[in-house]
PDB file of all heavy atoms in Angstrom:
ATOM      1  N   SER A  85     -55.390 -48.603 -77.756  1.00 94.00           N
ATOM      2  CA  SER A  85     -56.336 -49.404 -76.974  1.00 94.00           C
ATOM      3  C   SER A  85     -55.987 -49.350 -75.492  1.00 94.00           C
ATOM      4  O   SER A  85     -56.877 -49.146 -74.652  1.00 94.00           O
ATOM      5  CB  SER A  85     -56.325 -50.846 -77.475  1.00 94.00           C
ATOM      6  OG  SER A  85     -57.223 -51.624 -76.742  1.00 94.00           O
ATOM      7  N   ASP A  86     -54.728 -49.539 -75.167  1.00 95.00           N
ATOM      8  CA  ASP A  86     -54.306 -49.474 -73.770  1.00 95.00           C
ATOM      9  C   ASP A  86     -54.520 -48.085 -73.180  1.00 95.00           C
ATOM     10  O   ASP A  86     -54.954 -47.939 -72.034  1.00 95.00           O
ATOM     11  CB  ASP A  86     -52.839 -49.870 -73.621  1.00 95.00           C
ATOM     12  CG  ASP A  86     -52.594 -51.341 -73.894  1.00 95.00           C
ATOM     13  OD1 ASP A  86     -53.570 -52.120 -73.835  1.00 95.00           O
ATOM     14  OD2 ASP A  86     -51.440 -51.697 -74.178  1.00 95.00           O
ATOM     15  N   LEU A  87     -54.232 -47.064 -73.968  1.00 96.00           N
ATOM     16  CA  LEU A  87     -54.401 -45.688 -73.507  1.00 96.00           C
ATOM     17  C   LEU A  87     -55.865 -45.388 -73.179  1.00 96.00           C
ATOM     18  O   LEU A  87     -56.189 -44.897 -72.103  1.00 96.00           O
ATOM     19  CB  LEU A  87     -53.889 -44.704 -74.576  1.00 96.00           C
ATOM     20  CG  LEU A  87     -54.105 -43.234 -74.289  1.00 96.00           C
ATOM     21  CD1 LEU A  87     -53.126 -42.767 -73.219  1.00 96.00           C
ATOM     22  CD2 LEU A  87     -53.948 -42.428 -75.549  1.00 96.00           C
ATOM     23  N   VAL A  88     -56.754 -45.709 -74.100  1.00 96.00           N
ATOM     24  CA  VAL A  88     -58.182 -45.407 -73.909  1.00 96.00           C
ATOM     25  C   VAL A  88     -58.760 -46.247 -72.769  1.00 96.00           C
ATOM     26  O   VAL A  88     -59.623 -45.766 -72.023  1.00 96.00           O
ATOM     27  CB  VAL A  88     -58.968 -45.631 -75.219  1.00 96.00           C
ATOM     28  CG1 VAL A  88     -60.460 -45.494 -74.999  1.00 96.00           C
ATOM     29  CG2 VAL A  88     -58.510 -44.649 -76.287  1.00 96.00           C
ATOM     30  N   ASP A  89     -58.269 -47.454 -72.580  1.00 95.00           N
ATOM     31  CA  ASP A  89     -58.749 -48.287 -71.474  1.00 95.00           C
ATOM     32  C   ASP A  89     -58.475 -47.647 -70.114  1.00 95.00           C
ATOM     33  O   ASP A  89     -59.146 -47.968 -69.137  1.00 95.00           O
ATOM     34  CB  ASP A  89     -58.123 -49.670 -71.520  1.00 95.00           C
ATOM     35  CG  ASP A  89     -58.705 -50.534 -72.629  1.00 95.00           C
ATOM     36  OD1 ASP A  89     -59.813 -50.214 -73.123  1.00 95.00           O
ATOM     37  OD2 ASP A  89     -58.062 -51.537 -72.996  1.00 95.00           O
ATOM     38  N   HIS A  90     -57.524 -46.744 -70.056  1.00 96.00           N
ATOM     39  CA  HIS A  90     -57.177 -46.077 -68.789  1.00 96.00           C
ATOM     40  C   HIS A  90     -57.801 -44.691 -68.667  1.00 96.00           C
ATOM     41  O   HIS A  90     -57.567 -43.992 -67.678  1.00 96.00           O
ATOM     42  CB  HIS A  90     -55.655 -45.990 -68.636  1.00 96.00           C
ATOM     43  CG  HIS A  90     -55.039 -47.309 -68.368  1.00 96.00           C
ATOM     44  ND1 HIS A  90     -54.604 -48.152 -69.365  1.00 96.00           N
ATOM     45  CD2 HIS A  90     -54.818 -47.967 -67.203  1.00 96.00           C
ATOM     46  CE1 HIS A  90     -54.115 -49.235 -68.833  1.00 96.00           C
ATOM     47  NE2 HIS A  90     -54.236 -49.174 -67.513  1.00 96.00           N
ATOM     48  N   LEU A  91     -58.578 -44.254 -69.646  1.00 95.00           N
ATOM     49  CA  LEU A  91     -59.230 -42.941 -69.576  1.00 95.00           C
ATOM     50  C   LEU A  91     -60.538 -43.030 -68.778  1.00 95.00           C
ATOM     51  O   LEU A  91     -61.204 -44.058 -68.775  1.00 95.00           O
ATOM     52  CB  LEU A  91     -59.555 -42.421 -70.980  1.00 95.00           C
ATOM     53  CG  LEU A  91     -58.369 -42.089 -71.876  1.00 95.00           C
ATOM     54  CD1 LEU A  91     -58.882 -41.637 -73.247  1.00 95.00           C
ATOM     55  CD2 LEU A  91     -57.507 -41.013 -71.258  1.00 95.00           C
ATOM     56  N   ASP A  92     -60.888 -41.926 -68.168  1.00 95.00           N
ATOM     57  CA  ASP A  92     -62.159 -41.825 -67.439  1.00 95.00           C
ATOM     58  C   ASP A  92     -63.213 -41.272 -68.404  1.00 95.00           C
ATOM     59  O   ASP A  92     -63.194 -40.096 -68.739  1.00 95.00           O
ATOM     60  CB  ASP A  92     -61.999 -40.908 -66.234  1.00 95.00           C
ATOM     61  CG  ASP A  92     -63.282 -40.760 -65.445  1.00 95.00           C
ATOM     62  OD1 ASP A  92     -64.203 -41.592 -65.630  1.00 95.00           O
ATOM     63  OD2 ASP A  92     -63.370 -39.813 -64.640  1.00 95.00           O
ATOM     64  N   LEU A  93     -64.109 -42.114 -68.858  1.00 92.00           N
ATOM     65  CA  LEU A  93     -65.128 -41.724 -69.837  1.00 92.00           C
ATOM     66  C   LEU A  93     -66.509 -41.595 -69.197  1.00 92.00           C
ATOM     67  O   LEU A  93     -67.531 -41.695 -69.876  1.00 92.00           O
ATOM     68  CB  LEU A  93     -65.168 -42.730 -70.989  1.00 92.00           C
ATOM     69  CG  LEU A  93     -63.857 -42.892 -71.784  1.00 92.00           C
ATOM     70  CD1 LEU A  93     -64.010 -43.966 -72.835  1.00 92.00           C
ATOM     71  CD2 LEU A  93     -63.440 -41.576 -72.410  1.00 92.00           C
ATOM     72  N   THR A  94     -66.565 -41.368 -67.896  1.00 91.00           N
ATOM     73  CA  THR A  94     -67.847 -41.296 -67.203  1.00 91.00           C
ATOM     74  C   THR A  94     -68.723 -40.153 -67.715  1.00 91.00           C
ATOM     75  O   THR A  94     -69.939 -40.276 -67.719  1.00 91.00           O
ATOM     76  CB  THR A  94     -67.658 -41.147 -65.683  1.00 91.00           C
ATOM     77  OG1 THR A  94     -66.827 -40.036 -65.402  1.00 91.00           O
ATOM     78  CG2 THR A  94     -67.055 -42.406 -65.083  1.00 91.00           C
TER      79      THR A  94
END
Side-chain angles (χ1 to χ4, degrees):
S85 180
D86 291 341
L87 175 74
V88 173
D89 286 341
H90 289 90
L91 294 178
D92 180 17
L93 301 177
T94 55

